[in-house]
């Protein structure tokens, strides 16, 4: 065997080591994706501590999701050029560095938001690179099991996140949530041992395109929450520069051919709209339960959100089976109707009791699982073989961004006084009217998304 930097470079040996210690991989995935939802229930506490509006407090989640989405695409694009081992370790160090920054600077909100953005940038190394590791070092007959196990761990992590966040925030303080990602540092010795020291491959990374796209996304999101025209103009400018750049770049960050694929773009935008709507609603639940029913952070995370978020695991499996047996149209309508009907139910009975909410949330998360399954199926079918990798990467990016934007927009709506007008006479309080009206807006956009998908599918 050939030795390289003190390690055996034989591919079979590394593959055997990765398979034999798959538990470490699941451990890393769990603590990397946990941060997507663990801060959700703490947003009202953060808003109260700093005396800020929900539109500002929600940037604790929005900043993480935006950098996570862009970073995921960047890391997946450069994994074929740079060493996966080095990229993964760098990502984990950035992730933990952002976590320590947030813990130390917990009394200054801009630093907290910046720390969450750094966390997202570091954590974004995990999903794409884990897929690369499985593809390279797990044999084909076991690869499906590996992907399925990772998917289950992701669903479990996202589902249990609100419960963990609620317990920590209730009994200690929300800032201690920043310490959870430091657990990923324990996996670094494992990756140093089992992953080969790959050399840099030929290729170029379009960092200019990545920067232009990132600035455009962040500033456009800032405009949606702050309503300042300067952010809109900057966002449009960088978006135009990005489109001009990828037409000239030798190896662009995003292929222009993807943007000319109408079916692909329509499927991505339709799914992203639905994901953004649900993400915005979920970010509103802690505020709603706190203001209308005076529930504690721990109760919101453990009793309200937990049953719905954990049900994603079951509904994800059911959605996949139904797509194979009944087709995407049936599954889409089931998901769409579950989400829309649940929103209407909450709108009408919001101030009656909080305990119908866990049941309704199960239908919302179940509907979301169905929608995700359909969108992945439809979008992948619209891509040629050579476009598949970049296309699915772009789908993940847009969906992450839609979630971040949805959270930011709902936070902005909660600060608008006109939205608090009591349209429904059945509600007993002004606070309930505010959340009910935001839900009515979400219902409208849910219907638009559902009809747009139906129209596009009919055209096919």
């Amino acid at each position: 065997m050939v030795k390289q930097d003190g390690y055996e470079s034989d591919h079979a040996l590394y593959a055997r080591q990765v398979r034999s210690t798959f538990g470490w991989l699941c451990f890393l995935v769990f603590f990397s994706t946990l941060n997507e939802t663990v801060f959700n229930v703490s947003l009202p506490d953060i808003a109260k501590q700093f005396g800020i509006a929900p539109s500002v407090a929600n940037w604790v989640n929005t900043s993480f999701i935006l950098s996570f989405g862009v970073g995921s695409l960047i890391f997946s694009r450069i994994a074929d050029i740079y060493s996966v081992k080095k990229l993964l370790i760098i990502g984990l160090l950035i992730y933990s560095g952002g976590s320590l920054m947030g813990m130390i600077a917990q009394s200054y909100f801009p630093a907290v938001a910046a720390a969450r953005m750094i966390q997202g940038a570091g954590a974004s190394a995990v999903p794409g690179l884990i897929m690369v590791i499985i593809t390279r070092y797990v044999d084909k007959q076991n690869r499906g099991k590996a992907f399925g196990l990772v998917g289950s761990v992701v669903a479990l992590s996202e589902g249990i996140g609100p419960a963990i966040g609620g317990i920590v925030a209730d009994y200690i303080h929300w800032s201690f949530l920043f310490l959870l990602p430091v657990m990923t540092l324990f996996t670094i010795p494992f990756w140093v041992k089992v992953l080969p020291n790959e050399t840099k491959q030929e290729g170029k990374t379009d960092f200019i395109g990545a920067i232009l796209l990132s600035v455009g996304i962040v500033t456009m999101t800032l405009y949606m929450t702050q309503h300042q025209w300067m952010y809109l103009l900057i966002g449009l400018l960088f978006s135009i520069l990005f489109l001009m750049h990828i037409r000239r770049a030798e190896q662009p960050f995003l292929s222009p051919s993807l943007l000319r694929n109408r079916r692909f773009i329509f499927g991505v935008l339709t799914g992203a709209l639905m994901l953004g709507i649900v993400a915005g609603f979920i970010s509103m639940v802690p505020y709603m339960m706190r203001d209308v029913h005076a529930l504690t952070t721990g109760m919101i995370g453990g009793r309200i959100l937990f049953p719905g978020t954990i049900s994603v695991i079951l509904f994800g499996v059911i959605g996949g089976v139904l797509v194979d047996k009944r087709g995407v149209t049936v599954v889409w309508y089931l998901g769409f109707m579950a989400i829309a009907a649940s929103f209407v139910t909450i709108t009408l009975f919001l101030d009656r009791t909080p305990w119908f909410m866990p049941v309704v949330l199960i239908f919302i998360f179940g509907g979301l699982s169905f929608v995700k399954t359909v969108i992945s199926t439809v979008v992948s079918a619209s891509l040629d073989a050579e476009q598949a990798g970049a296309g699915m990467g772009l789908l993940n990016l847009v969906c992450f961004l839609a979630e971040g934007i949805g959270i930011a927009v709902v936070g902005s709506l909660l600060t608008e006084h006109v939205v608090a007008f009591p349209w429904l006479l059945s509600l007993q309080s002004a606070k309930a009217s505010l959340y009910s009206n935001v839900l009515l807006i979400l219902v409208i956009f849910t219907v638009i998304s559902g009809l747009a998908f139906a129209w596009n599918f009919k055209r096919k």
Side-chain angles (χ1 to χ4, degrees):
M1 283 185 190
V2 179
K3 299 281 186 176
Q4 181 180 359
D5 295 333
Y7 293 94
E8 295 177 343
S9 60
D10 183 77
H11 181 276
L13 173 62
Y14 289 115
R16 193 161 55 249
Q17 288 177 328
V18 170
R19 290 196 304 270
S20 64
T21 50
F22 204 73
W24 278 110
L25 187 146
C26 292
F27 180 88
L28 174 61
V29 170
F30 180 87
F31 281 99
S32 298
T33 56
L34 185 70
N35 253 295
E36 290 184 41
T37 59
V38 77
F39 273 88
N40 281 5
V41 296
S42 301
L43 295 177
D45 294 330
I46 295 172
K48 181 179 180 181
Q49 176 176 323
F50 292 105
I52 54 181
S55 60
V56 180
N58 279 10
W59 271 91
V60 170
N61 271 357
T62 300
S63 58
F64 179 90
I65 292 175
L66 291 180
S67 61
F68 189 88
V70 176
S72 296
L73 185 56
I74 292 175
F75 275 107
S76 64
R77 294 298 298 268
I78 64 178
D80 292 331
I81 301 176
Y82 301 96
S83 166
V84 170
K85 176 195 284 189
K86 292 180 180 179
L87 291 176
L88 187 58
I89 292 174
I90 290 172
L92 295 181
L93 291 175
I94 294 173
Y95 189 27
S96 297
S99 303
L100 294 175
M101 173 184 169
M103 186 66 189
I104 294 171
Q106 59 179 279
S107 60
Y108 184 52
F109 181 77
V112 170
R116 287 286 286 165
M117 183 166 285
I118 295 172
Q119 275 190 323
S124 67
V126 176
L129 297 182
I130 289 298
M131 296 300 108
V132 172
I133 291 171
I134 292 175
T135 302
R136 290 183 183 177
Y137 301 110
V138 176
D139 47 78
K140 290 184 178 181
Q141 57 265 37
N142 293 313
R143 202 171 293 164
K145 297 178 183 177
F147 282 127
L149 180 57
V150 169
S152 297
V153 172
V154 169
L156 174 63
S157 176
E158 293 177 344
I160 205 172
I164 294 175
I167 292 171
V168 172
D170 228 9
Y171 291 96
I172 310 176
H173 190 258
W174 61 264
S175 61
F176 281 83
L177 297 174
F178 275 112
L179 295 181
L180 295 177
V182 179
M183 298 289 290
T184 59
L185 292 177
F186 291 109
T187 68
I188 290 181
F190 161 72
W191 300 117
V192 170
K193 178 181 178 181
V194 304
L195 293 179
N197 296 309
E198 303 162 313
T199 57
K200 182 178 178 180
Q201 304 296 317
E202 292 185 3
K204 296 181 181 180
T205 304
D206 184 16
F207 287 112
I208 295 177
I211 292 172
L212 291 174
L213 178 62
S214 301
V215 174
I217 290 169
V218 172
T219 50
M220 291 290 282
T221 307
L222 280 169
Y223 168 73
M224 294 178 185
T225 57
Q226 305 300 318
H227 307 300
Q228 295 185 17
W229 288 100
M230 178 186 68
Y231 292 129
L232 176 61
L233 294 176
I234 294 175
L236 290 174
L237 174 61
F238 275 83
S239 299
I240 293 172
L241 291 175
F242 171 74
L243 293 174
M244 294 172 60
H245 170 78
I246 62 174
R247 291 178 180 275
R248 299 193 305 265
E250 182 179 348
Q251 297 180 11
F253 186 66
L254 289 178
S255 173
S257 63
L258 281 176
L259 303 181
R260 291 192 294 267
N261 187 333
R262 293 184 178 181
R263 290 183 177 179
F264 168 77
I265 292 298
F266 208 96
V268 168
L269 294 179
T270 305
L273 178 58
M274 191 70 85
L275 264 64
I277 290 168
V278 175
F281 165 75
I282 298 302
S283 73
M284 185 175 72
V285 170
Y287 296 106
M288 188 164 55
M289 293 294 100
R290 176 73 62 85
D291 289 346
V292 178
H293 298 288
L295 297 187
T296 64
T297 304
M299 294 174 69
I300 297 169
R303 300 185 187 182
I304 302 297
L305 286 171
F306 179 71
T309 52
I310 207 68
S311 69
V312 170
I313 301 174
L314 174 62
F315 281 105
V317 176
I318 295 174
V321 173
L322 286 176
V323 164
D324 291 336
K325 290 187 175 182
R326 300 294 183 181
V328 293
T329 306
V330 172
V331 179
W332 171 268
Y333 281 123
L334 286 174
F336 159 70
M337 288 188 293
I339 294 171
S342 297
F343 283 169
V344 172
T345 302
I346 298 171
T347 301
L348 296 175
F349 302 103
L350 174 59
D351 60 351
R352 305 298 173 82
T353 174
W355 304 118
F356 78 99
M357 184 68 75
V359 178
V360 176
L361 281 171
I362 290 176
F363 286 97
I364 291 176
F365 280 104
L368 180 63
S369 294
F370 285 5
V371 167
K372 284 183 176 180
T373 301
V374 169
I375 292 303
S376 296
T377 304
V378 170
V379 168
S380 61
S382 69
L383 297 170
D384 298 329
E386 60 271 16
Q387 294 179 322
M392 296 309 289
L394 180 58
L395 171 64
N396 290 331
L397 169 64
V398 174
C399 288
F400 276 124
L401 297 181
E403 291 177 355
I405 293 172
I407 292 170
V409 170
V410 168
S412 179
L413 288 173
L414 293 178
T415 64
E416 297 291 337
H417 296 294
V418 67
V419 183
F421 187 85
W423 293 100
L424 294 177
L425 299 179
S426 60
L427 298 176
Q428 303 298 317
S429 68
K431 289 183 177 179
S433 296
L434 168 64
Y435 296 107
S436 177
N437 292 339
V438 173
L439 274 163
L440 286 175
I441 295 173
L442 297 183
V443 168
I444 293 171
F445 280 98
T446 301
V447 172
I448 291 173
S449 178
L451 294 177
F453 178 88
W455 176 75
N456 186 56
F457 187 83
K458 183 177 181 180
R459 290 174 67 232
K460 292 181 182 181

